[in-house]
């Protein structure tokens, strides 16, 4: 396609808008390289793909395209021998592999609605071995696991032990001989070395290495000489850790490099899917449609300029309607200035470009467009200052280039043809240009004010006139296009409306008559007749639309009636199921009552045996038994069955008390149950009793029970304390407020201390530092905490705080004193 035509039609602006709907750099790159296709089958195929993607959006099943990245550079470096990708690069590759699995899963079951899109998804190659390897190395917080390798696990354990020993020696020095020399009672790190803040006045009294000074010069940070060896050992262990991590990352990089071709193939599929999805989102948002691609004709139904549509919305943009008969090749558009002629040209050009790029267009789905082999456009006032060309000369230069490239199947758009020079010469030249285009078999659209071109269109077979409407009462253009009728400039009428003296207006009309204005009068008469015809057609269309709406309304009522009938049937089925459940409940109750009667009769039989051995006369015993039997028969015949007596009494409870894992007492069962699910709106719940799940009505719940006590008692220093059954070494309070984290931190410190572990890790993040300061103030005021410090580089650095405790027994003994 001609680059000049693409520029004046502002196709680059359309691509910029489309790029906003892509989710990845790959998709945006594909959009920027988008170019019109010349293959009819290729265009139809691309339009079907977009239509399928729109259908997925309409049915709320969009593909999960988020999560894949442009990893081409990283993949290229993975092929180098001994290369090591950064952890961030490896994690992004892992996320891209995970996106592959998500998309493959999402395309399952869309064969009927999106068969072409499904093929893309099924072509994606999953790489579970890469995902598994990455998940083995990195944890959920994207940190390298201790278990990434046996050597790393060993080294990190040694680091923890060495750091613990070094810190304990620091603490002894702080409490001992260096206590009076310290500026503040804490230790810190400088350049990976543990140091103490010493008052500068006493620095010469200590043997050690000075690593830093405070900005005021009052504090020096000294590593005591007796700790240098321990510090060297810790530094050496950190170096071993770095070497092992590098080995792990190099192994991962080599594994990724083995699948270079397959991963690159997946990226190409991602790129194409993102391009199709961007087209679909653009279409879905602005209610676009796929045009019908045909041969050698054009029909635009309610077409709108896409850039104006995005800027102003569908309602404010006047639609364009035009249709060429099979033998029609050209259209001459006339009308007043600022009436929208240029917009018509750009709308035709942009709709053609969009369609040939496989995009839906802002027009009705009955719009028909051909495949243009080339598109040439000369639009707007252009001057070439470098070549010293006037506007007229610049237009002629562009038109010459267009004619040279034009042939059968070309689209030519010429704005204000013949302007910028003498009207007579301009009209003659413009007519010759149109004749040349017509003979070459091009399809052309021309705007002009020249009377000669109106006559050319009227007299030439295969060329039509068209006009832009103008409201003479308001002196405003309507921007509506009328096919088959030439337009008028209306310059004299507009001048009169704008207040030009009447004498001048009358003279102008006389001058126009002398030059032969009869055609203008005829145009006016034809225009009135055409507007009357259009009014009748619009009335017929409104009646047709009304009839269509009535038919749709009738179908909706029938559909609603069918849905209501289905609802009635479903409610009846649910009611029947409820009756069945109630009958089953009653049968269960009768079974319980029967067992109760059997128990009562057994007891009476036992009493009968006992009475048979008594000294009372047999007649007395027999009479008594007969009376009991008659009484039981009467009760049973009257249906006065005694209810089964509950073993437990009913207690008051509320739905607010019922939550998962809460224990409840259930009527008719001796064992308590544990709540697993709740349906408050149905008054039902599911409970687990003796490894069985039962769904029961809420009426069967007799009581809500207190939770079981899980803590065991530990006796320390003569005091009984609760020891937690599980020990947590780390607390994550990242993102909390100080008020939210304080009770959690208090409980965490208490449990950790009672578990007699030497230290804990508190993750608070960097942020503004407020949370870190609050944590450390809390630790400073807590009597069981002996010291605190930043975490190591791999623990999170200053984003975490490591707190250390004194032995639990010693602390408790101090507390009891």
């Amino acid at each position: 396609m001609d680059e000049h035509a693409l520029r004046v039609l502002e196709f680059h602006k359309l691509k910029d808008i489309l790029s906003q709907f892509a989710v990845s750099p790959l998709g945006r790159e594909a959009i920027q390289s988008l170019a019109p296709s010349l293959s009819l089958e290729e265009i139809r195929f691309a339009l079907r793909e977009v239509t399928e993607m729109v259908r997925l959006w309409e049915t709320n099943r969009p593909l999960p395209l988020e999560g894949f990245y442009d990893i081409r550079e990283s993949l290229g470096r993975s092929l180098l021998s001994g290369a090591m990708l950064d952890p961030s690069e490896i994690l992004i590759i892992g996320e891209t592999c995970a996106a592959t699995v998500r998309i493959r899963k999402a395309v399952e079951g869309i064969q009927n609605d999106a068969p072409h899109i499904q093929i893309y998804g099924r072509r994606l190659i999953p790489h579970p071995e890469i995902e598994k390897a990455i998940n083995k190395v990195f944890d959920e917080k994207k940190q390298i696991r201790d278990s990434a390798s046996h050597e790393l696990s060993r080294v990190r354990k040694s680091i923890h032990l060495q750091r613990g020993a070094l810190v304990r020696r620091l603490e002894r020095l702080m409490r001992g001989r260096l206590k009076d020399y310290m500026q503040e009672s804490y230790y810190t790190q400088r350049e990976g070395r543990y140091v103490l803040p010493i008052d500068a006045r006493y620095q010469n009294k200590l043997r050690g290495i000075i690593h830093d000074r405070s900005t005021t010069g009052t504090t020096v940070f000294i590593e005591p000489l007796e700790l240098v060896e321990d510090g060297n050992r810790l530094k050496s262990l950190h170096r071993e850790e770095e070497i092992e991590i590098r080995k792990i990352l190099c192994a991962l990089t080599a594994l990724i490099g083995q699948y270079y071709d397959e991963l690159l193939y997946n990226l190409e599929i991602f790129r194409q899917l993102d391009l199709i999805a961007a087209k679909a989102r653009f279409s879905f948002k602005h209610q676009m449609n796929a045009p019908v691609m045909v041969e050698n004709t054009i029909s635009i139904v309610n077409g709108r300029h896409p850039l104006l549509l995005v800027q102003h919305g569908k309602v404010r943009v006047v639609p364009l309607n035009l249709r060429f008969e099979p033998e029609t090749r050209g259209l001459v558009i006339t009308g007043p200035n600022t009436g929208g002629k240029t917009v018509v040209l750009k709308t035709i050009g942009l709709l053609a470009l969009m369609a040939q790029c496989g995009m839906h267009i802002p027009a009705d789905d009955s719009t028909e467009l051909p495949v243009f082999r080339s598109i040439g456009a000369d639009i707007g006032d252009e001057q070439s200052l470098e070549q010293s060309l006037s506007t007229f000369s610049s237009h002629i230069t562009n038109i010459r280039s267009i004619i040279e490239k034009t042939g059968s199947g070309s689209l030519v758009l010429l704005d204000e043809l013949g302007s910028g020079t003498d009207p007579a010469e301009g009209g003659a030249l413009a007519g010759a240009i149109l004749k040349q285009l017509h003979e070459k078999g091009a399809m052309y659209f021309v705007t002009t004010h020249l009377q000669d071109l109106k006559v050319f269109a009227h007299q030439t077979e295969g060329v039509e006139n068209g006009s832009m409407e103008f409201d003479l009462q308001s002196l405003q253009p309507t921007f509506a296009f009328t096919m088959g009728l030439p337009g008028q400039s209306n310059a004299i009428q507009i001048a009169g409306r704008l207040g030009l003296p009447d004498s001048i207006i009358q003279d102008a009309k006389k001058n126009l008559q002398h030059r032969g204005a009869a055609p203008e009068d005829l145009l006016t008469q034809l225009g009135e007749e055409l507007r009357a015809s259009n009014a009748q057609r619009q009335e017929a269309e409104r009646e047709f639309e009304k009839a269509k709406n009535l038919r749709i309304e009738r179908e909706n009522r029938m559909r609603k009636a069918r849905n209501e009938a289905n609802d009635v049937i479903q409610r009846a089925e649910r009611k029947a199921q409820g009756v069945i459940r109630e009958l089953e409940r009653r049968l269960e109750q009768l079974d319980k009552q029967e067992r109760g009667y059997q128990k009562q009769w057994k007891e009476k039989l036992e009493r009968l045996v006992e009475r048979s051995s008594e000294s009372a006369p047999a007649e007395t015993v027999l009479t008594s038994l007969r009376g009991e039997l008659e009484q039981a028969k009467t009760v049973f015949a009257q249906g006065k069955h005694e209810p089964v007596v509950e073993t437990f009494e009913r207690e008051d409870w509320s739905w607010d008390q019922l939550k998962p894992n809460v224990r409840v007492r259930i009527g008719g069962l001796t064992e308590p149950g544990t709540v697993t699910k709740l349906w408050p709106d149905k008054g039902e719940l599911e409970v687990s009793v003796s490894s069985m799940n039962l769904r029961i009505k809420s009426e069967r719940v007799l009581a809500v029970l207190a939770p079981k006590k899980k803590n065991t008692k530990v006796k320390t220093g003569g005091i009984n304390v609760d020891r937690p059954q599980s020990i947590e070494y780390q607390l994550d309070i990242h993102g909390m407020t100080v008020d939210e984290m304080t009770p959690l931190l208090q409980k965490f410190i208490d449990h950790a201390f009672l578990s007699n572990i030497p230290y804990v890790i508190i993750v608070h993040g960097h942020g503004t530092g407020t949370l870190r300061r609050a944590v450390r103030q809390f630790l400073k005021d807590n009597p069981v905490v002996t010291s605190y410090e930043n975490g190591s580089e791999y623990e999170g650095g200053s984003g975490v705080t490591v707190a250390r405790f004194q032995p639990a027994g010693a602390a408790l003994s101090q507390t009891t004193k």
Side-chain angles (χ1 to χ4, degrees), residues 213-232:
R213 295 179 181 273
S214 65
T215 55
T216 60
T218 58
T219 304
V220 292
F221 295 92
I222 296 179
E223 180 182 15
L225 193 60
E226 55 263 55
L227 299 183
V228 171
E229 188 61 33
D230 287 342
N232 291 341

Side-chain angles (χ1 to χ4, degrees), residues 73-81 83 85 253-254 256-258 260:
E73 182 181 350
S74 299
L75 290 179
R77 287 195 289 112
S78 70
L79 295 175
L80 302 176
S81 177
L85 297 179
T253 302
I256 292 168
Q258 294 176 15
Y260 171 84

Side-chain angles (χ1 to χ4, degrees), residues 281-316:
R281 292 190 188 97
F282 188 33
S283 171
F284 184 76
K285 180 176 180 180
H286 295 288
Q287 302 174 11
M288 299 183 184
N289 295 287
V292 180
M293 304 307 296
V294 295
E295 297 283 350
N296 299 325
T297 188
I298 185 171
S299 174
I300 299 176
V301 183
N302 292 325
R304 289 172 170 84
H305 190 291
L307 301 182
L308 295 179
L309 175 67
V310 172
Q311 184 177 2
H312 300 293
K314 187 174 183 179
V315 176
R316 297 182 59 188

